[in-house]
Amino acid sequence: MGVKVSMTVNGKKLSSDVEERTLLVTLIREHLRLTGTHVGCDTAQCGACTVHMNGNAVKSCSMLAMQAEGADILTIEGVAAPDGTLHPMQAAFKENHGLQCGFCTPGMVMNAIDFAKRHPVAGEQEVREGLEGNLCRCTGYHNIVKSIVAGSKAMAAGK
Amino acid sequence: MHAFKYHRASSANEAASIVARNGEARFLAGGQSLVQMMKLRFVSPSDLVDLGSIKDLAGIKADGSGVTIGAMTRHAEVAGSAEVRKAIPALAALAGTIGDRQVRNMGTLGGAIAHADPAADYPAAVLGLGATIHTNKRKIAADDFFKGMMETALQPGELITSVSFPVPKRAAYMKFKNQASRFAIVGVFVADTAGGVRVAVTGAGPCVFRSKELEAALSKSFTAQAAAGVKVSDKGLNKDLHASPEYRAHLITVMAKRAVQSIA
Ligand SMILES: Cc1cc2nc3c(=O)[nH]c(=O)nc-3n(C[C@H](O)[C@H](O)[C@H](O)COP(=O)(O)OP(=O)(O)OC[C@H]3O[C@@H](n4cnc5c(N)ncnc54)[C@H](O)[C@@H]3O)c2cc1C
Ligand code: FES
Ligand code: FES
């Protein structure tokens, strides 16, 4: 058994032969070798696997690759500029020490970018609520929240 | 998860007929409940019929008397819809409290009510507002739809196409949420409608139900005080690590009081 799935990942069109039951995160990590997207819980709790599908943050461990047929997928590898310049949200995480071990960071950044597009002038409370789908076991969230408040401002200013 | 055959349906009829032909087949909406259940092997369908490409199953239509929402409309769309916010603000607000941003970007109205999790939010709005569930075969009144723990009136292969919510005079939803999943430990939807006061409770029992005691009290006097005076029985309520039946009974009164307070 097998099916063909086609989508755009980080701007590149691709087709892949997969088993029907292949999860989107498996396609991204194991078929495309884009290992920046992490698997923390595999049960839709932690958000480490967050990517964008057509601009919306989704948990790639909780959907089939086939559900992304024809979609535009953005992973953490596609966020920085081609010359390596960090995305304003990535820069804000670096500036504000928004990570320790870094395991949760790709998912945090992907969710934060989607959040910031919708809440350009978010305060701390809104950011904390916007982070409900992402867990971090190191930082205690304080610096992540600071990073996202700063990153949102930088994104709004850059527009 | 076990292997299965994948189908992409392009119309509601095609989806229903594939499921009808394959006894162990299931519809796939957002996958936010089904994919996890399959990973855990709670369910192992032979076939999945993806509803994601059926254009006329998604979308929101509102007029003066009601709001009709397609089964494949994502929670985030309902939460962000200017039309829903204007016509039934409590419904948009409820959708905005489901799970987290990522879950709301995928999860759908049809999937949520077909799944009928005892702690799900949408069933409270569907029952509280006295909505009508449209399927590929018939219309089902909310009062006849939720049958028990993850059990609905849907027949095998029956597809929800949309849900129509009548506009109430006023309505509010209050949820005491599980801090980790945001599912309702107890959620109460209070609606003052043309047909009287309706109070739907989710999270507390095996499935969403109407509280006759609260409805009677609020029909006499639509005040927070009236709600606060009702003692709800704990008989048959859920017991788990989050809350005892006694505590849930207490929370029903408190959530009802807060809901009324926000709109009275
Ligand atoms: C981390 C997390 C937190 C969550 N928190 C909440 C919460 O706080 N409150 C809440 O209410 N829910 C919560 N949910 C559940 C979420 O709302 C799901 O999206 C929803 O229960 C199922 O919708 P779905 O579109 O993903 O359906 P799926 O998972 O695709 O399907 C669920 C079931 O419904 C059937 N089905 C789907 N569509 C139809 C249709 N049109 N007609 C007939 N049958 C159909 C499927 O065959 C399947 O059996 C949470 C989920 C997760 C993962
Ligand atoms: S790995 Fe997907 S949510 Fe944790
Ligand atoms: S930085 Fe280690 S899990 Fe968040």
Side-chain angles (χ1 to χ4, degrees), chain B residues 16-76:
Chain B
S17 76
I18 300 170
V19 170
R21 278 202 307 275
N22 301 280
E24 298 298 310
R26 282 205 188 219
F27 300 118
L28 173 67
Q32 298 303 288
S33 298
L34 185 54
V35 170
Q36 289 307 331
M37 286 199 300
M38 289 172 64
K39 286 207 268 186
L40 295 167
R41 300 189 177 179
F42 286 156
V43 294
S44 298
S46 61
D47 298 70
L48 280 192
V49 182
D50 193 340
L51 307 175
S53 305
I54 309 177
K55 290 278 175 297
D56 52 3
L57 280 187
I60 297 168
K61 281 191 215 93
D63 59 31
S65 63
V67 178
T68 298
I69 303 179
M72 282 300 290
T73 312
R74 317 279 168 178
H75 307 330

Short mmCIF file of all heavy atoms in Angstrom, two decimals, chain B residues 16-76:
data_model
loop_
_atom_site.label_atom_id
_atom_site.label_comp_id
_atom_site.label_asym_id
_atom_site.label_seq_id
_atom_site.Cartn_x
_atom_site.Cartn_y
_atom_site.Cartn_z
N ALA B 16 -20.06 9.78 2.12
CA ALA B 16 -21.02 8.91 2.79
C ALA B 16 -21.07 7.54 2.10
O ALA B 16 -21.17 6.51 2.78
CB ALA B 16 -22.39 9.56 2.82
N SER B 17 -20.98 7.53 0.78
CA SER B 17 -21.11 6.24 0.10
C SER B 17 -19.87 5.37 0.31
O SER B 17 -19.97 4.16 0.41
CB SER B 17 -21.48 6.40 -1.38
OG SER B 17 -20.36 6.80 -2.10
N ILE B 18 -18.69 6.00 0.43
CA ILE B 18 -17.49 5.18 0.71
C ILE B 18 -17.61 4.56 2.10
O ILE B 18 -17.31 3.38 2.30
CB ILE B 18 -16.19 6.01 0.62
CG1 ILE B 18 -16.02 6.61 -0.78
CG2 ILE B 18 -14.97 5.13 0.95
CD1 ILE B 18 -14.89 7.62 -0.88
N VAL B 19 -18.08 5.35 3.06
CA VAL B 19 -18.22 4.81 4.42
C VAL B 19 -19.29 3.73 4.46
O VAL B 19 -19.14 2.70 5.13
CB VAL B 19 -18.48 5.93 5.45
CG1 VAL B 19 -18.85 5.36 6.80
CG2 VAL B 19 -17.24 6.81 5.59
N ALA B 20 -20.37 3.93 3.71
CA ALA B 20 -21.45 2.94 3.69
C ALA B 20 -20.96 1.60 3.12
O ALA B 20 -21.39 0.55 3.57
CB ALA B 20 -22.62 3.47 2.86
N ARG B 21 -20.03 1.67 2.15
CA ARG B 21 -19.53 0.44 1.53
C ARG B 21 -18.53 -0.31 2.41
O ARG B 21 -18.28 -1.49 2.20
CB ARG B 21 -18.82 0.78 0.20
CG ARG B 21 -19.73 0.97 -0.99
CD ARG B 21 -18.97 0.75 -2.30
NE ARG B 21 -17.75 1.54 -2.43
CZ ARG B 21 -17.73 2.81 -2.87
NH1 ARG B 21 -18.84 3.41 -3.22
NH2 ARG B 21 -16.59 3.45 -2.97
N ASN B 22 -17.90 0.40 3.34
CA ASN B 22 -16.85 -0.20 4.17
C ASN B 22 -17.24 -0.11 5.64
O ASN B 22 -17.13 0.96 6.24
CB ASN B 22 -15.52 0.52 3.95
CG ASN B 22 -15.08 0.47 2.50
OD1 ASN B 22 -14.54 -0.53 2.06
ND2 ASN B 22 -15.35 1.54 1.77
N GLY B 23 -17.65 -1.18 6.21
CA GLY B 23 -18.19 -1.21 7.57
C GLY B 23 -17.27 -0.58 8.61
O GLY B 23 -17.73 0.08 9.54
N GLU B 24 -15.97 -0.78 8.46
CA GLU B 24 -15.04 -0.28 9.48
C GLU B 24 -14.44 1.07 9.10
O GLU B 24 -13.40 1.46 9.62
CB GLU B 24 -13.92 -1.30 9.70
CG GLU B 24 -14.39 -2.66 10.23
CD GLU B 24 -15.05 -2.54 11.59
OE1 GLU B 24 -14.44 -1.91 12.48
OE2 GLU B 24 -16.18 -3.03 11.75
N ALA B 25 -15.06 1.75 8.16
CA ALA B 25 -14.52 3.03 7.70
C ALA B 25 -14.96 4.17 8.63
O ALA B 25 -15.97 4.07 9.32
CB ALA B 25 -14.99 3.31 6.28
N ARG B 26 -14.16 5.24 8.63
CA ARG B 26 -14.53 6.43 9.40
C ARG B 26 -14.25 7.68 8.60
O ARG B 26 -13.35 7.70 7.77
CB ARG B 26 -13.69 6.52 10.67
CG ARG B 26 -14.16 5.61 11.75
CD ARG B 26 -13.72 6.19 13.07
NE ARG B 26 -13.99 5.23 14.13
CZ ARG B 26 -14.44 5.58 15.33
NH1 ARG B 26 -14.64 6.85 15.62
NH2 ARG B 26 -14.64 4.67 16.24
N PHE B 27 -15.00 8.73 8.92
CA PHE B 27 -14.70 10.04 8.35
C PHE B 27 -13.50 10.62 9.09
O PHE B 27 -13.34 10.42 10.29
CB PHE B 27 -15.88 11.00 8.54
CG PHE B 27 -17.16 10.53 7.90
CD1 PHE B 27 -18.28 10.27 8.67
CD2 PHE B 27 -17.23 10.37 6.53
CE1 PHE B 27 -19.46 9.84 8.07
CE2 PHE B 27 -18.40 9.94 5.92
CZ PHE B 27 -19.52 9.67 6.70
N LEU B 28 -12.66 11.37 8.37
CA LEU B 28 -11.56 12.11 8.99
C LEU B 28 -11.83 13.60 8.79
O LEU B 28 -11.94 14.07 7.66
CB LEU B 28 -10.23 11.72 8.32
CG LEU B 28 -9.00 12.53 8.74
CD1 LEU B 28 -8.64 12.26 10.20
CD2 LEU B 28 -7.80 12.19 7.85
N ALA B 29 -11.96 14.32 9.91
CA ALA B 29 -12.19 15.78 9.82
C ALA B 29 -10.86 16.46 10.13
O ALA B 29 -9.94 16.44 9.31
CB ALA B 29 -13.30 16.18 10.76
N GLY B 30 -10.70 17.03 11.33
CA GLY B 30 -9.42 17.67 11.68
C GLY B 30 -8.38 16.66 12.14
O GLY B 30 -7.18 16.94 12.15
N GLY B 31 -8.86 15.52 12.58
CA GLY B 31 -7.94 14.48 13.07
C GLY B 31 -7.47 14.71 14.50
O GLY B 31 -6.70 13.92 15.04
N GLN B 32 -7.93 15.77 15.15
CA GLN B 32 -7.39 16.12 16.47
C GLN B 32 -7.80 15.13 17.55
O GLN B 32 -7.14 15.00 18.57
CB GLN B 32 -7.79 17.55 16.86
CG GLN B 32 -7.25 18.59 15.91
CD GLN B 32 -5.74 18.53 15.78
OE1 GLN B 32 -5.01 18.90 16.70
NE2 GLN B 32 -5.24 18.04 14.66
N SER B 33 -8.88 14.42 17.33
CA SER B 33 -9.24 13.32 18.24
C SER B 33 -8.93 11.98 17.59
O SER B 33 -8.36 11.10 18.22
CB SER B 33 -10.73 13.40 18.60
OG SER B 33 -11.01 14.61 19.28
N LEU B 34 -9.30 11.85 16.32
CA LEU B 34 -9.20 10.54 15.66
C LEU B 34 -7.76 10.07 15.48
O LEU B 34 -7.46 8.89 15.73
CB LEU B 34 -9.92 10.61 14.30
CG LEU B 34 -10.04 9.31 13.52
CD1 LEU B 34 -10.67 8.21 14.38
CD2 LEU B 34 -10.84 9.51 12.25
N VAL B 35 -6.85 10.94 15.07
CA VAL B 35 -5.47 10.50 14.83
C VAL B 35 -4.85 10.01 16.14
O VAL B 35 -4.17 8.99 16.18
CB VAL B 35 -4.63 11.62 14.16
CG1 VAL B 35 -3.15 11.26 14.15
CG2 VAL B 35 -5.12 11.89 12.74
N GLN B 36 -5.12 10.74 17.24
CA GLN B 36 -4.58 10.29 18.53
C GLN B 36 -5.19 8.94 18.93
O GLN B 36 -4.49 8.07 19.43
CB GLN B 36 -4.85 11.33 19.63
CG GLN B 36 -4.04 12.60 19.51
CD GLN B 36 -2.55 12.36 19.40
OE1 GLN B 36 -2.02 11.38 19.92
NE2 GLN B 36 -1.85 13.24 18.71
N MET B 37 -6.49 8.77 18.71
CA MET B 37 -7.13 7.51 19.08
C MET B 37 -6.57 6.36 18.25
O MET B 37 -6.46 5.24 18.73
CB MET B 37 -8.64 7.59 18.87
CG MET B 37 -9.36 8.43 19.91
SD MET B 37 -11.12 8.05 19.94
CE MET B 37 -11.58 8.45 18.27
N MET B 38 -6.21 6.66 17.00
CA MET B 38 -5.65 5.61 16.15
C MET B 38 -4.21 5.29 16.56
O MET B 38 -3.80 4.13 16.55
CB MET B 38 -5.70 6.04 14.67
CG MET B 38 -7.13 6.04 14.13
SD MET B 38 -7.28 6.74 12.48
CE MET B 38 -6.31 5.57 11.55
N LYS B 39 -3.46 6.33 16.96
CA LYS B 39 -2.10 6.08 17.42
C LYS B 39 -2.12 5.19 18.67
O LYS B 39 -1.25 4.35 18.85
CB LYS B 39 -1.41 7.41 17.74
CG LYS B 39 -1.01 8.18 16.50
CD LYS B 39 0.17 9.07 16.74
CE LYS B 39 -0.07 10.43 17.15
NZ LYS B 39 1.03 11.33 17.26
N LEU B 40 -3.11 5.42 19.53
CA LEU B 40 -3.21 4.63 20.75
C LEU B 40 -3.90 3.28 20.50
O LEU B 40 -4.05 2.48 21.41
CB LEU B 40 -4.00 5.40 21.82
CG LEU B 40 -3.34 6.69 22.30
CD1 LEU B 40 -4.32 7.55 23.09
CD2 LEU B 40 -2.12 6.37 23.17
N ARG B 41 -4.33 3.09 19.25
CA ARG B 41 -5.04 1.87 18.85
C ARG B 41 -6.34 1.65 19.61
O ARG B 41 -6.77 0.52 19.83
CB ARG B 41 -4.12 0.64 18.96
CG ARG B 41 -2.92 0.81 18.05
CD ARG B 41 -2.09 -0.43 17.96
NE ARG B 41 -0.99 -0.21 17.01
CZ ARG B 41 -0.07 -1.10 16.71
NH1 ARG B 41 -0.10 -2.29 17.27
NH2 ARG B 41 0.88 -0.83 15.85
N PHE B 42 -6.94 2.75 20.07
CA PHE B 42 -8.30 2.66 20.62
C PHE B 42 -9.25 2.31 19.49
O PHE B 42 -10.24 1.64 19.69
CB PHE B 42 -8.74 3.98 21.25
CG PHE B 42 -8.09 4.28 22.56
CD1 PHE B 42 -7.98 5.60 23.01
CD2 PHE B 42 -7.59 3.27 23.37
CE1 PHE B 42 -7.37 5.89 24.22
CE2 PHE B 42 -6.99 3.55 24.58
CZ PHE B 42 -6.88 4.87 25.01
N VAL B 43 -8.97 2.85 18.31
CA VAL B 43 -9.77 2.51 17.13
C VAL B 43 -8.81 2.18 15.99
O VAL B 43 -7.70 2.73 15.93
CB VAL B 43 -10.71 3.66 16.70
CG1 VAL B 43 -11.78 3.91 17.74
CG2 VAL B 43 -9.94 4.93 16.40
N SER B 44 -9.22 1.29 15.14
CA SER B 44 -8.40 0.90 13.98
C SER B 44 -9.29 0.76 12.75
O SER B 44 -9.65 -0.34 12.35
CB SER B 44 -7.69 -0.43 14.26
OG SER B 44 -6.83 -0.30 15.36
N PRO B 45 -9.67 1.90 12.17
CA PRO B 45 -10.56 1.83 11.01
C PRO B 45 -9.86 1.17 9.82
O PRO B 45 -8.65 1.25 9.68
CB PRO B 45 -10.85 3.30 10.68
CG PRO B 45 -10.13 4.13 11.67
CD PRO B 45 -9.28 3.27 12.52
N SER B 46 -10.66 0.51 8.98
CA SER B 46 -10.12 -0.11 7.77
C SER B 46 -9.85 0.96 6.72
O SER B 46 -8.94 0.84 5.92
CB SER B 46 -11.14 -1.10 7.21
OG SER B 46 -12.34 -0.41 6.87
N ASP B 47 -10.67 2.01 6.73
CA ASP B 47 -10.60 3.07 5.73
C ASP B 47 -10.83 4.42 6.41
O ASP B 47 -11.65 4.51 7.32
CB ASP B 47 -11.71 2.90 4.68
CG ASP B 47 -11.62 1.60 3.91
OD1 ASP B 47 -11.86 0.54 4.51
OD2 ASP B 47 -11.30 1.67 2.70
N LEU B 48 -10.12 5.44 5.92
CA LEU B 48 -10.41 6.80 6.37
C LEU B 48 -10.86 7.61 5.17
O LEU B 48 -10.22 7.56 4.11
CB LEU B 48 -9.17 7.47 6.95
CG LEU B 48 -8.76 7.14 8.37
CD1 LEU B 48 -7.70 8.14 8.83
CD2 LEU B 48 -9.93 7.17 9.32
N VAL B 49 -11.95 8.33 5.35
CA VAL B 49 -12.46 9.16 4.28
C VAL B 49 -12.26 10.62 4.68
O VAL B 49 -12.95 11.13 5.56
CB VAL B 49 -13.95 8.86 4.00
CG1 VAL B 49 -14.44 9.71 2.85
CG2 VAL B 49 -14.14 7.38 3.71
N ASP B 50 -11.28 11.27 4.07
CA ASP B 50 -10.90 12.63 4.41
C ASP B 50 -11.94 13.62 3.86
O ASP B 50 -12.20 13.63 2.66
CB ASP B 50 -9.51 12.90 3.81
CG ASP B 50 -8.88 14.17 4.36
OD1 ASP B 50 -9.61 15.02 4.89
OD2 ASP B 50 -7.64 14.30 4.25
N LEU B 51 -12.50 14.43 4.77
CA LEU B 51 -13.53 15.39 4.36
C LEU B 51 -12.91 16.74 3.99
O LEU B 51 -13.62 17.67 3.60
CB LEU B 51 -14.53 15.61 5.52
CG LEU B 51 -15.18 14.35 6.12
CD1 LEU B 51 -16.03 14.72 7.34
CD2 LEU B 51 -16.03 13.64 5.08
N GLY B 52 -11.60 16.85 4.12
CA GLY B 52 -10.91 18.14 4.00
C GLY B 52 -11.05 18.84 2.67
O GLY B 52 -10.88 20.06 2.60
N SER B 53 -11.33 18.12 1.60
CA SER B 53 -11.43 18.78 0.29
C SER B 53 -12.86 19.08 -0.12
O SER B 53 -13.09 19.53 -1.24
CB SER B 53 -10.80 17.88 -0.79
OG SER B 53 -9.49 17.56 -0.44
N ILE B 54 -13.82 18.81 0.75
CA ILE B 54 -15.22 19.06 0.37
C ILE B 54 -15.56 20.51 0.70
O ILE B 54 -15.82 20.86 1.85
CB ILE B 54 -16.18 18.09 1.10
CG1 ILE B 54 -15.69 16.64 0.92
CG2 ILE B 54 -17.60 18.25 0.59
CD1 ILE B 54 -16.51 15.61 1.66
N LYS B 55 -15.55 21.35 -0.32
CA LYS B 55 -15.64 22.80 -0.11
C LYS B 55 -16.93 23.21 0.61
O LYS B 55 -16.91 24.04 1.51
CB LYS B 55 -15.56 23.55 -1.45
CG LYS B 55 -14.20 23.48 -2.11
CD LYS B 55 -13.26 24.52 -1.52
CE LYS B 55 -11.84 24.41 -2.05
NZ LYS B 55 -11.16 23.14 -1.72
N ASP B 56 -18.08 22.62 0.21
CA ASP B 56 -19.33 23.13 0.78
C ASP B 56 -19.62 22.62 2.19
O ASP B 56 -20.65 22.92 2.77
CB ASP B 56 -20.53 22.90 -0.17
CG ASP B 56 -20.63 21.45 -0.62
OD1 ASP B 56 -19.81 20.65 -0.15
OD2 ASP B 56 -21.53 21.14 -1.44
N LEU B 57 -18.68 21.86 2.78
CA LEU B 57 -18.87 21.47 4.18
C LEU B 57 -18.30 22.53 5.14
O LEU B 57 -18.52 22.45 6.34
CB LEU B 57 -18.19 20.13 4.47
CG LEU B 57 -18.91 18.85 4.05
CD1 LEU B 57 -18.17 17.63 4.58
CD2 LEU B 57 -20.36 18.83 4.52
N ALA B 58 -17.54 23.49 4.62
CA ALA B 58 -16.94 24.50 5.50
C ALA B 58 -17.55 25.86 5.20
O ALA B 58 -17.90 26.16 4.06
CB ALA B 58 -15.43 24.55 5.30
N GLY B 59 -17.70 26.66 6.24
CA GLY B 59 -18.17 28.03 6.03
C GLY B 59 -19.26 28.41 7.02
O GLY B 59 -19.86 27.56 7.68
N ILE B 60 -19.48 29.72 7.13
CA ILE B 60 -20.41 30.27 8.11
C ILE B 60 -21.41 31.15 7.39
O ILE B 60 -21.02 32.00 6.58
CB ILE B 60 -19.64 31.10 9.16
CG1 ILE B 60 -18.67 30.19 9.93
CG2 ILE B 60 -20.61 31.82 10.11
CD1 ILE B 60 -17.67 30.93 10.79
N LYS B 61 -22.71 30.91 7.65
CA LYS B 61 -23.75 31.78 7.07
C LYS B 61 -24.60 32.30 8.22
O LYS B 61 -25.06 31.53 9.05
CB LYS B 61 -24.67 30.97 6.14
CG LYS B 61 -24.07 30.71 4.77
CD LYS B 61 -25.15 30.14 3.84
CE LYS B 61 -24.56 29.12 2.89
NZ LYS B 61 -24.64 27.73 3.38
N ALA B 62 -24.81 33.62 8.24
CA ALA B 62 -25.63 34.17 9.32
C ALA B 62 -26.73 35.03 8.74
O ALA B 62 -26.53 35.71 7.73
CB ALA B 62 -24.75 35.01 10.24
N ASP B 63 -27.92 34.97 9.34
CA ASP B 63 -28.96 35.97 9.04
C ASP B 63 -29.56 36.38 10.38
O ASP B 63 -29.06 35.97 11.43
CB ASP B 63 -29.99 35.42 8.05
CG ASP B 63 -30.68 34.17 8.56
OD1 ASP B 63 -30.83 34.04 9.80
OD2 ASP B 63 -31.06 33.32 7.74
N GLY B 64 -30.61 37.16 10.33
CA GLY B 64 -31.16 37.71 11.57
C GLY B 64 -31.54 36.65 12.58
O GLY B 64 -31.42 36.86 13.79
N SER B 65 -31.99 35.49 12.13
CA SER B 65 -32.55 34.53 13.07
C SER B 65 -31.56 33.45 13.51
O SER B 65 -31.78 32.79 14.52
CB SER B 65 -33.78 33.86 12.45
OG SER B 65 -33.38 33.13 11.30
N GLY B 66 -30.50 33.25 12.74
CA GLY B 66 -29.60 32.18 13.14
C GLY B 66 -28.28 32.18 12.41
O GLY B 66 -28.04 32.95 11.49
N VAL B 67 -27.40 31.26 12.86
CA VAL B 67 -26.09 31.09 12.26
C VAL B 67 -25.95 29.62 11.88
O VAL B 67 -26.21 28.75 12.71
CB VAL B 67 -24.98 31.44 13.29
CG1 VAL B 67 -23.60 31.21 12.68
CG2 VAL B 67 -25.13 32.86 13.77
N THR B 68 -25.61 29.37 10.63
CA THR B 68 -25.38 27.98 10.20
C THR B 68 -23.91 27.80 9.91
O THR B 68 -23.29 28.59 9.18
CB THR B 68 -26.23 27.66 8.95
OG1 THR B 68 -27.60 27.79 9.33
CG2 THR B 68 -25.98 26.22 8.49
N ILE B 69 -23.32 26.79 10.55
CA ILE B 69 -21.88 26.57 10.45
C ILE B 69 -21.64 25.19 9.84
O ILE B 69 -22.16 24.18 10.33
CB ILE B 69 -21.22 26.69 11.84
CG1 ILE B 69 -21.53 28.06 12.45
CG2 ILE B 69 -19.70 26.46 11.74
CD1 ILE B 69 -20.95 28.28 13.83
N GLY B 70 -20.84 25.15 8.78
CA GLY B 70 -20.52 23.89 8.12
C GLY B 70 -19.72 22.98 9.03
O GLY B 70 -18.94 23.44 9.86
N ALA B 71 -19.91 21.67 8.84
CA ALA B 71 -19.28 20.69 9.72
C ALA B 71 -17.76 20.80 9.72
O ALA B 71 -17.12 20.57 10.74
CB ALA B 71 -19.69 19.27 9.29
N MET B 72 -17.15 21.16 8.59
CA MET B 72 -15.69 21.21 8.51
C MET B 72 -15.12 22.58 8.87
O MET B 72 -13.93 22.83 8.68
CB MET B 72 -15.24 20.83 7.09
CG MET B 72 -15.26 19.33 6.83
SD MET B 72 -14.19 18.40 7.97
CE MET B 72 -12.56 18.90 7.38
N THR B 73 -15.92 23.46 9.42
CA THR B 73 -15.42 24.77 9.84
C THR B 73 -14.55 24.60 11.09
O THR B 73 -14.97 23.96 12.06
CB THR B 73 -16.60 25.72 10.14
OG1 THR B 73 -17.52 25.63 9.05
CG2 THR B 73 -16.14 27.15 10.31
N ARG B 74 -13.34 25.13 11.03
CA ARG B 74 -12.38 24.97 12.14
C ARG B 74 -12.79 25.84 13.33
O ARG B 74 -13.35 26.92 13.15
CB ARG B 74 -10.98 25.36 11.69
CG ARG B 74 -10.57 24.85 10.32
CD ARG B 74 -10.10 23.44 10.33
NE ARG B 74 -10.00 22.93 8.97
CZ ARG B 74 -9.57 21.70 8.66
NH1 ARG B 74 -9.27 20.86 9.62
NH2 ARG B 74 -9.50 21.30 7.42
N HIS B 75 -12.40 25.40 14.52
CA HIS B 75 -12.72 26.16 15.74
C HIS B 75 -12.21 27.60 15.62
O HIS B 75 -12.88 28.54 16.04
CB HIS B 75 -12.08 25.52 16.97
CG HIS B 75 -12.39 24.06 17.15
ND1 HIS B 75 -13.55 23.47 16.72
CD2 HIS B 75 -11.67 23.07 17.74
CE1 HIS B 75 -13.53 22.17 17.04
NE2 HIS B 75 -12.40 21.91 17.65
N ALA B 76 -11.00 27.78 15.05
CA ALA B 76 -10.40 29.12 14.97
C ALA B 76 -11.23 30.04 14.08
O ALA B 76 -11.33 31.24 14.34
CB ALA B 76 -8.97 29.02 14.43
#
